Each structure stands twice: as structure tokens, then as C-alpha cells.
């Protein structure tokens, strides 16, 4: 379908949707009734029962979400708490086009509409395409935003490019998290949850005045849970939770025209994590005696269970996922008469301490795999916001500097030689690979500067034109060095003495030193036209031209026949993005119902793809540019509250995200490993990894008046569910790594009062659905497929009080 026919179809669809809404305009009496005011509606698409005013800051100013010409989902804090969505990973069950994948905190991807972060092992040399903001502070790495939500007021998921105002390469969208702020009236909240698998969670927050001009707020949370996979080698449960979060804020407000907020937070995760289970094997192009079954039999090895949902593993390497995140920010707002001047200054840190088992088996093949990292990030944003009768605008500047240091170690054990060398090799029965160790040192210095602006010109009371621009400069300086040592501690160098032994060792780990650099300017712009057809119908159309900064390979690059690094692969080009969107936002049934629909298409040239190498230690994965990618589809958010006793929501998305041109992609495992296997494959037209064509979230809640323990309130029953169709769990689609579609159902029943007391029981994954979050291709093209099962059925109870 051409661009023109695509938008003609979209315009026709919007016309059909908007037509009944014209007739559904609320009568004057309803419009004057505060119960039906738009700000008292439930959060868009969640059906939640929040009585707070629902406003958003998607355009860096307070306004109701129905007035914003943008595809946006808003989830309020109360709904986050009641549905157990205590982190970004859980949030995806409420927002269909948000995808979250995590094999451990560092290797985490957050995508919107199938775009954002290359699927696979993390490479620090590129940016994420989904910006994550907490109280206006940018979190530059997805891994640094894997904390539990702490005292959150609401979360906005902005879909589509946000490069004008949110910048820093937000080509897929942004997640805007707002926490509860200090108050000059004393208030507090406390919550305790207990459940199966030893689940314990406690949250508390208190806020109030210290003086007439100074207020404070302190919040904490702690979460722990036993693991869901049993390791028969260590006799321990893995995939546990052990999280701690703290946040403190001071608000200085000497006048109505000025306020200053100092905030500090700290989050620590120290789980026994992260592992996998055996899922299946698939035939590759290797010789039969080099396939997984023959390799395992040769060493007398058998997997602990052929049923992945027995949740049993035998990983023999140490597992650890220590994660510390925190920082300090200072935010000032100053009403200077014609507008508001805002300054946000922040420092954030991230300390990652991992240990992994990268062979996915109980054999001592890879006995140590770890890449601890430390990050420091500094940001400064200044912006001026003006609102007038006919014109609103925001202008500003943004500065960013980041340093990441990583120290990696990967070591092979006693089973490595016979696993990696053919039986015909004279060294097959030796131990030449036992103790072989690679030590990696790398750093990244990343600097970015930007000027931006966006205006909303009200041509008439009904028509608004919104242009936006951003000028961005990015500079990256990197360093990567791999040194290789034998089991006796002798260093192996390129050009040194050559022998059959060193040839075998260099096939596993190749020494390499590179110092890639990248710098570039880019100019992003967008234009949105909106039409307020009636009080309750908003139509809009958007075009955006934006970029994701180019990058550098921080995990090493491929080598030539002489084992020299191919320096042309050290950098990757910027992504160039063209985005088109049509949308309609409607309210009807006396504003008791909301239906928002968006039709979108995003074309990307030089898409930054993650390329995984099949060998054990040659590369952990490197970056390359695919020729072109397209994501297009349809989304809708529907919520209804016919009375105070019932509300419901149904959100959905159809996403068609494919490689339009990728002729030199890595081949899937079924075409890899043989002497005549192709060096690369053409996967043009195939689906991007992690993308379900169909995804839905839905739910409802009903209540009746009741009394409990002498308190008047209501008994309620709530349900929320989600469905997603199948998706590929490998950068190149493989018949071995398609994850079947699945549906999850969660229930809650409880009693609450208007004073803020709430007690309820809950069950999640109520029907005990077996499903995978991810599948992994084992190294070496042996045909091994490992996986990460999703959570089993969990249940528990929560008591919450607000005072």
C-alpha cells in the first residue's frame, strides 16, 4: 500500500469513528455536572477507579490527556498498585504496544510499536529509542530504569517519535513517570502484601510541612520473593526478587511564583538471578557428531528435564544480578510573568554486578561470564513555557554527559575442549581450552547537546497547528580491549607463536583493541494539525522527521582472516525516521466513555540492528545497520464507566513491524554452522523480533456498598487480562525461536472505604498459563534452545491505608 492510499484509508476510518461521536455530545446539564468533567474520567484505557485529576505533561505543560493530539496511555498510581504493576515490565500487561524483555537487568529492552532497542545482548554504544523519564529526569539506559515504581502518581506512555520535546533519540516513544510530590498538608500511605513463593512487599510514604515554606516527602519500598526455577546443581531457587527503594524530596516554596524541589533516590536489587531452562533442540548445519545431542552424550550429560515448565535447571556457573541505581536532582519552577522558566539538574549512577552461565547447561563449558559496569550521568535542562489565548510554546536547551566503565571476564572450563573441538582434532582429548580466559576492558564517554522548541498556534478555536524542532549534537568516544590468557596464565597475542593449540584457543577468544569514535549533528522536526470537531471529538494528523544518534561497537567487532579487527564495523550510522500518524479522540455517553484510535506508520533507514555471533567468545554481539525497517498499524483505547458501580476497558493494537531491507543479516540457527552455510541471509520482509501482530489488554471492576468492621465502604471485584499473539525471540526469525501467543488473567476482590483503607486478595496468571518471556539460541550452533518461563500462578493479599 502506498503512503497516499494508506492515509486515505486512515482518513476514512477516522471519519467513520468520529461520526457517531458528534451525535453523542453531552447535554448542557451534563457538562455542568462535576461528576462528568473530563478531568474526573478514569485514566485513558485503564478503567481504573482513580478520583484524582487526570492530567498529563506530554507537551511539558499540565493538560487533560483528551486535549493532547498524541497517542498516549495514562496509568494512575492507584491502578498501578492494585494490579501489581510495580515496574515497567509489569506495565506492559496494561499497555498493548509496550514491549518489555529482560534476561537480566542489563540485557533489558523496552520497545513501543516494535521499535526502540535492538533485540539481544546490550551494547552500550547506541542509544535507546524509548526515552524513560522520572520527574523530568532522563534515564539514559533501560537497565538504569529497572527499579520498582516508588510512590508513583502516574505513568504516561507516549507512543510514536517524541524527538522535539523529549529528545535524546526517542524515535519510538517515551515513558514519563511522575512521582507524588511533597505537600504542605500532612499525609501518608502504607501498604503491605504477602503471597505465595514467599512474596513480601511493603511500601510507605509520608509527606508534610517542615516550615511554612518547606515541605518534605519520604517514601520507601521493599520487595522479596523466592525464585520460580529450581537449580538442582546448587539446590537453590533462582529468578528471585530482592529489591529495596528509597526516595526523599524537599520542596521549598517561598511564594506562589517560585518553587524548588531537591530529590534523591536509591534502589538496590540483589536477586539470585538470572538463569534459563532447557526448551528443545533443533537441527543446524553442523555435522551430526557436533549437534547438541551427540555433544552431550559424548560427555555423559543429560538435561535435568525435557519439560521447560517443570521449572528445573542445572546451571553450574555462579549467578548474580546485583544492581544499584540512584541519583540526585534539583528542579526549579519560576513564574516570570509571561511564562514559566524551569530548570532540571540531575546526576544519576548505575552500578551493575552480574554473573551468568552463558552455555545454558550444567556442563563446565563456560564457567565464568560477567561484565560489571559503572555509569555516571549528568543532565541539565532549561526550558521556558508560555501559554496564551492564541499561542502556546516551549523552548529550551538540554545537556547530557555520561561515562560507562565495564570490566569483563569470561572463562572456559574442563568440558570446553570436547564441546568445541571435533573428535577428529588431535587435541580433542586434551584440556587446551580449560581455564582459557578473556579479560575485557571498555569505556564509553557520551556527550549530547540540544536546542529545542515546540509551538501550538490556535488558528481558530477549533484548529491548532503545532510545529516542533530540535537541533542535536552527539559525540561518543569508546575504548574496547580484550586480552586472552591460557589456563596457566600465559597471554596469547596476535602475531605471536603459532601452533595447533593457539589456533584452537584463538577460535574461542580473539585478542582485540579498538578505540571507536563518533560525532554528528542532526535536525529533527515534526508538525501536528488538530481539529476540535466538537467539544468531545479531537482529530489530529502528525508528520515527524527524527533521528537516533549513530553509535559505536562497545563489545568488539568482527575480525578478518588474520584475526585483525574490521574497523569499518566499529561505528554504526544514525537511524533516519519518517513517521506519519492519524488519530481521533472521542468522549461520548455523557462523557462516561472514551474511545481513542490512532493509525500510524514509521519508516526507518539504516536501522540499528543487533547481530549475534554463533561462536562462544568471538563476540557477545555487535551492531550493524539494516537497510530499512517499517512499523505500521492500528491502536485503540476504550474505557467506559456507566456508573460509580462499574467500569471497564479494552485496549488493543495491530502492529506490522518488518525488515523492509536487510540483505546481510545473520542466519538463523537452522542455516548456520556448516562448512557450506551462507555467511549471511536476506531476511527482508520478515518480522522484527519481539513484536506480536495482535496485542490486547482488557479489564473491568464492579462494586456494591457494604460495611466491614463498622466501616462503610464498598466490596469490589476486579479483573484485568492481556493477550498477545506469537512473536520471534531471535534477531533473525527462526523456526526454533517463535514464542507462542498467550493470554493472562488476573483477579482481585476486596473492601475499601472513602477514607483510604483498602484490603483485598489477588491472583495473577489465575489459570496457570505456561508461557515463555524469551527463548535463547545456545552458542556454537549446536541446536540448543533455552528459555525463560513467565511467572506461574501467584496469589496473595494486600492491606493499604491512606491517611
Amino acid at each position: 500500500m502506498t503512503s497516499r492510499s494508506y492515509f486515505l484509508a486512515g482518513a476514512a476510518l477516522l471519519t467513520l469513528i468520529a461520526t457517531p461521536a458528534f451525535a453523542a455530545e453531552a447535554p448542557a446539564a451534563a457538562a455542568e455536572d462535576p461528576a462528568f468533567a473530563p478531568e474526573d474520567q478514569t485514566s485513558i484505557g485503564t478503567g481504573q477507579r482513580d478520583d484524582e485529576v487526570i492530567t498529563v505533561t506530554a507537551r511539558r505543560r499540565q493538560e487533560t490527556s483528551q486535549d493532547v493530539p498524541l497517542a498516549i496511555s495514562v496509568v494512575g498510581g492507584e491502578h498501578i498498585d492494585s494490579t501489581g504493576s510495580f515496574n515497567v515490565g509489569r506495565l506492559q500487561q496494561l499497555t498493548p504496544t509496550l514491549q518489555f524483555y529482560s534476561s537480566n537487568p542489563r540485557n533489558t529492552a523496552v520497545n513501543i510499536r516494535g521499535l526502540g532497542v535492538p533485540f539481544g545482548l546490550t551494547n552500550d554504544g547506541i542509544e535507546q529509542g524509548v526515552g524513560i523519564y522520572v520527574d523530568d529526569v532522563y534515564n539514559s539506559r533501560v537497565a538504569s530504569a529497572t527499579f520498582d515504581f516508588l510512590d508513583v502518581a502516574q505513568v504516561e506512555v507516549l507512543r510514536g517519535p517524541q524527538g522535539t520535546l523529549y529528545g535524546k533519540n526517542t524515535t519510538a516513544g517515551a515513558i514519563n513517570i511522575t512521582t507524588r510530590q511533597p505537600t504542605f498538608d500532612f499525609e501518608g500511605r502504607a501498604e503491605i502484601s504477602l503471597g505465595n513463593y514467599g512474596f513480601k512487599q511493603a511500601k510507605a510514604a509520608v509527606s508534610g510541612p517542615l516550615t511554612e515554606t518547606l515541605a518534605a516527602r519520604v517514601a520507601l519500598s521493599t520487595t522479596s520473593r523466592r525464585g520460580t526455577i529450581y537449580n538442582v546443581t546448587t539446590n537453590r531457587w533462582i529468578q528471585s526478587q530482592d529489591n529495596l527503594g528509597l526516595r526523599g524530596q524537599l520542596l521549598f516554596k517561598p511564594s506562589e511564583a517560585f518553587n524548588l524541589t531537591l530529590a534523591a533516590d536509591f534502589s538496590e536489587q540483589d536477586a539470585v538471578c538470572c538463569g534459563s531452562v532447557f526448551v528443545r533442540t533443533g537441527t543446524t548445519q553442523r555435522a551430526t557428531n557436533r549437534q547438541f545431542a551427540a555433544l552431550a552424550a559424548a560427555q555423559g550429560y543429560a538435561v535435568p528435564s525435557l519439560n521447560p515448565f517443570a521449572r528445573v535447571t542445572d546451571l553450574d556457573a555462579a549467578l548474580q544480578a546485583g544492581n544499584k541505581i540512584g541519583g540526585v536532582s534539583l528542579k526549579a519552577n519560576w513564574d516570570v510573568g509571561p511564562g514559566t522558566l524551569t530548570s532540571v539538574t540531575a546526576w544519576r549512577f548505575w552500578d551493575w554486578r552480574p554473573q551468568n552461565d552463558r552455555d545454558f547447561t550444567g556442563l563446565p563449558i563456560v564457567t565464568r561470564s560477567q561484565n560489571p559496569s559503572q555509569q555516571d550521568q549528568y543532565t541539565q535542562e532549561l526550558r521556558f513555557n508560555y501559554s496564551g489565548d492564541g499561542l502556546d510554546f516551549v523552548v529550551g536547551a538540554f545537556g547530557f554527559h555520561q561515562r560507562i566503565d565495564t570490566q569483563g571476564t569470561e572463562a572456559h572450563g574442563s568440558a570446553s575442549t570436547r564441546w568445541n573441538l571435533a573428535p577428529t582434532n588431535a587435541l580433542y582429548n586434551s584440556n587446551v581450552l580449560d581455564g582459557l580466559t578473556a579479560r575485557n576492558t571498555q569505556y564509553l564517554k557520551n556527550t549530547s547537546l540540544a536546542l529545542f522548541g515546540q509551538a501550538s498556534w490556535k488558528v481558530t478555536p477549533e484548529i491548532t497547528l503545532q510545529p516542533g524542532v530540535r537541533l542535536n549534537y552527539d559525540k561518543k568516544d569508546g575504548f574496547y580491549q580484550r586480552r586472552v590468557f591460557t589456563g596457566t596464565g600465559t597471554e596469547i597475542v596476535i602475531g605471536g607463536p603459532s601452533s595447533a593449540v593457539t589456533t584452537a584457543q584463538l577460535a574461542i577468544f580473539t585478542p582485540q583493541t579498538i578505540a571507536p569514535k563518533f560525532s554528528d549533528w542532526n535536525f529533527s522536526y515534526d508538525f501536528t494539525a488538530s481539529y476540535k470537531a466538537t467539544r468531545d471529538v479531537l482529530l489530529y494528523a502528525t508528520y515527524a522527521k527524527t533521528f537516533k544518534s549513530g553509535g559505536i561497537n562497545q563489545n568488539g567487532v568482527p575480525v578478518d582472516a588474520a584475526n585483525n579487527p574490521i574497523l569499518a564495523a566499529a561505528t554504526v550510522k544514525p537511524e533516519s525516521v519518517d513517521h506519519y500518524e492519524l488519530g481521533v479522540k472521542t468522549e461520548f455517553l455523557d462523557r462516561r466513555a472514551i474511545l481513542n484510535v490512532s493509525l500510524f506508520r514509521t519508516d526507518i533507514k539504516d536501522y540499528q540492528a543487533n547481530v549475534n555471533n554463533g561462536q562462544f567468545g568471538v563476540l557477545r554481539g555487535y551492531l550493524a545497520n539494516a537497510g530499512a525497517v517499517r512499523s505500521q498499524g492500528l491502536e485503540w483505547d476504550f474505557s467506559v464507566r456507566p456508573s460509580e458501580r462499574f467500569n471497564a476497558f479494552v485496549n488493543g493494537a495491530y502492529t506490522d513491524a518488518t525488515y523492509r531491507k536487510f540483505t546481510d543479516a545473520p542466519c538463523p540457527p537452522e542455516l548456520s554452522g556448516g562448512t557450506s552455510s551462507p555467511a549471511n541471509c536476506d531476511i527482508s520482509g520478515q518480522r522484527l523480533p519481539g513484536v506480536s501482530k495482535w496485542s490486547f489488554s482488557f479489564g473491568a471492576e464492579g462494586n456494591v456498598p457494604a460495611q466491614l468492621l463498622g466501616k462503610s465502604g464498598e466490596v469490589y471485584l476486579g479483573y484485568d487480562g492481556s493477550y498477545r499473539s506469537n512473536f520471534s525471540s531471535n534477531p533473525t526469525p527462526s523456526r526454533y525461536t517463535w514464542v507462542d501467543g498467550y493470554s493472562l488473567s488476573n483477579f482481585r476482590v476486596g473492601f475499601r472505604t472513602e477514607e483510604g483503607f483498602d484490603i483485598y486478595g489477588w491472583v495473577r496468571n489465575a489459570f496457570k498459563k505456561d508461557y515463555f518471556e524469551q527463548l535463547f539460541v545456545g552458542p556454537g550452533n549446536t541446536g540448543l534452545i533455552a528459555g525463560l518461563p513467565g511467572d506461574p500462578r501467584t496469589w496473595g493479599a494486600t492491606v493499604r491505608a491512606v491517611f
Side-chain angles (χ1 to χ4, degrees), residues 736-749:
Y736 304 139
T737 56
W738 283 95
V739 174
D740 293 336
Y742 57 87
S743 181
L744 302 176
S745 292
N746 310 317
F747 294 90
R748 60 189 181 277
V749 60

Side-chain angles (χ1 to χ4, degrees), residues 415-443:
S416 178
T417 302
R418 297 183 70 182
W419 193 269
N420 286 290
L421 300 184
T424 55
N425 192 309
L427 299 173
Y428 179 74
N429 289 312
S430 70
N431 61 351
V432 295
L433 301 183
D434 189 11
L436 184 68
T437 301
R439 301 189 183 280
N440 305 330
T441 301
Q442 56 181 287
Y443 69 76

Side-chain angles (χ1 to χ4, degrees), residues 208-498:
L210 299 179
T211 69
E212 291 185 354
T213 59
L214 189 65
R217 188 178 192 96
V218 178
L220 63 88
S221 73
T222 177
T223 303
S224 63
R225 191 187 74 177
R226 192 204 77 189
T228 56
I229 298 175
Y230 188 71
N231 190 333
V232 297
T233 299
T234 61
N235 294 318
R236 298 183 71 185
W237 291 93
I238 65 172
Q239 308 303 104
S240 65
Q241 296 175 359
D242 187 2
N243 305 341
L244 172 68
L246 302 168
R247 172 181 286 271
Q249 299 177 85
L250 286 174
L251 170 63
F252 176 57
K253 190 174 182 180
S255 69
E256 291 300 319
F258 180 80
N259 64 75
L260 188 68
T261 303
L262 175 66
D265 67 279
F266 174 78
S267 175
E268 181 175 15
Q269 303 164 6
D270 194 16
V272 181
C273 184
C274 297
S276 59
V277 299
F278 174 87
V279 176
R280 65 174 71 97
T281 59
T283 302
T284 72
Q285 297 296 305
R286 297 188 103 191
T288 302
N289 66 352
R290 307 304 295 149
Q291 302 279 336
F292 181 84
L295 291 169
Q299 303 206 44
Y301 173 72
V303 297
S305 176
L306 297 177
N307 176 13
F309 297 109
R311 299 179 184 273
V312 175
T313 192
D314 63 347
L315 303 179
D316 61 324
L319 299 178
Q320 179 178 294
N323 208 25
K324 293 182 180 179
I325 305 165
V328 178
S329 67
L330 184 65
K331 180 177 180 179
N333 289 298
W334 185 19
D335 186 347
V336 293
T340 302
L341 183 65
T342 299
S343 170
V344 184
T345 307
W347 163 72
R348 297 204 61 76
F349 74 89
W350 166 49
D351 185 0
W352 168 235
R353 296 171 289 108
Q355 295 189 75
N356 304 288
D357 192 323
R358 288 295 179 197
D359 60 47
F360 304 128
T361 74
L363 284 170
I365 304 169
V366 178
T367 56
R368 192 177 188 187
S369 179
Q370 59 187 46
N371 279 271
S373 296
Q374 305 83 41
Q375 171 191 275
D376 280 289
Q377 170 196 307
Y378 303 87
T379 56
Q380 173 64 57
E381 183 169 1
L382 289 171
R383 62 176 183 265
F384 178 74
N385 197 320
Y386 171 84
S387 293
D389 292 337
L391 178 68
D392 300 333
F393 67 82
V394 180
V395 294
F398 177 77
F400 167 90
H401 180 73
Q402 171 194 48
R403 166 123 188 184
I404 302 178
D405 289 278
T406 302
Q407 312 82 36
T409 304
E410 188 165 5
H412 278 226
S414 57
S416 178
T417 302
R418 297 183 70 182
W419 193 269
N420 286 290
L421 300 184
T424 55
N425 192 309
L427 299 173
Y428 179 74
N429 289 312
S430 70
N431 61 351
V432 295
L433 301 183
D434 189 11
L436 184 68
T437 301
R439 301 189 183 280
N440 305 330
T441 301
Q442 56 181 287
Y443 69 76
L444 170 71
K445 292 186 288 186
N446 185 3
T447 301
S448 181
L449 302 170
L451 298 173
F452 62 88
Q454 186 183 82
S456 295
W457 175 35
K458 301 168 187 174
V459 180
T460 71
E462 297 82 19
I463 299 174
T464 300
L465 302 180
Q466 179 182 284
V469 295
R470 190 180 189 99
L471 178 65
N472 206 84
Y473 172 74
D474 283 289
K475 180 181 179 181
K476 295 180 174 71
D477 292 299
F479 175 79
Y480 173 86
Q481 182 183 65
R482 168 179 282 168
R483 300 176 66 189
V484 180
F485 300 86
T486 67
T488 61
T490 302
E491 185 170 5
I492 305 173
V493 296
I494 300 297
S498 179

Side-chain angles (χ1 to χ4, degrees), residues 41-62:
Q41 281 283 356
T42 62
S43 292
I44 303 305
T46 66
Q48 72 178 79
R49 187 189 181 277
D50 285 350
D51 296 325
E52 302 173 359
V53 173
I54 302 302
T55 60
V56 297
T57 57
R59 294 192 289 184
R60 298 302 195 187
R61 58 180 180 268
Q62 295 282 336

Side-chain angles (χ1 to χ4, degrees), residues 393-604:
F393 67 82
V394 180
V395 294
F398 177 77
F400 167 90
H401 180 73
Q402 171 194 48
R403 166 123 188 184
I404 302 178
D405 289 278
T406 302
Q407 312 82 36
T409 304
E410 188 165 5
H412 278 226
S414 57
S416 178
T417 302
R418 297 183 70 182
W419 193 269
N420 286 290
L421 300 184
T424 55
N425 192 309
L427 299 173
Y428 179 74
N429 289 312
S430 70
N431 61 351
V432 295
L433 301 183
D434 189 11
L436 184 68
T437 301
R439 301 189 183 280
N440 305 330
T441 301
Q442 56 181 287
Y443 69 76
L444 170 71
K445 292 186 288 186
N446 185 3
T447 301
S448 181
L449 302 170
L451 298 173
F452 62 88
Q454 186 183 82
S456 295
W457 175 35
K458 301 168 187 174
V459 180
T460 71
E462 297 82 19
I463 299 174
T464 300
L465 302 180
Q466 179 182 284
V469 295
R470 190 180 189 99
L471 178 65
N472 206 84
Y473 172 74
D474 283 289
K475 180 181 179 181
K476 295 180 174 71
D477 292 299
F479 175 79
Y480 173 86
Q481 182 183 65
R482 168 179 282 168
R483 300 176 66 189
V484 180
F485 300 86
T486 67
T488 61
T490 302
E491 185 170 5
I492 305 173
V493 296
I494 300 297
S498 179
S499 67
V501 172
T502 57
T503 298
Q505 293 168 336
L506 288 173
I508 301 299
F509 295 130
T510 304
Q512 185 175 119
T513 300
I514 58 173
K517 298 179 183 294
F518 176 88
S519 64
D520 195 17
W521 292 84
N522 64 60
F523 181 66
S524 299
Y525 55 92
D526 56 44
F527 183 80
T528 298
S530 60
Y531 174 57
K532 193 76 171 178
T534 72
R535 183 189 60 177
D536 298 327
V537 178
L538 176 69
L539 299 156
Y540 65 91
T542 296
Y543 169 73
K545 178 69 174 181
T546 188
F547 296 85
K548 185 199 282 188
S549 168
I552 58 178
N553 268 302
Q554 280 295 102
N555 294 336
V557 296
V559 296
D560 59 21
N563 282 324
N564 295 310
I566 302 174
L567 296 180
T571 60
V572 289
K573 300 175 184 177
E575 290 183 356
S576 176
V577 182
D578 289 281
H579 175 77
Y580 313 84
E581 186 154 344
L582 293 172
V584 60
K585 294 189 170 186
T586 67
E587 297 177 86
F588 51 98
L589 298 179
D590 291 341
R591 294 192 172 181
R592 294 183 175 93
I594 292 174
L595 174 63
N596 298 336
V597 180
S598 57
L599 188 67
F600 66 90
R601 173 168 162 175
T602 304
D603 289 305
I604 302 179

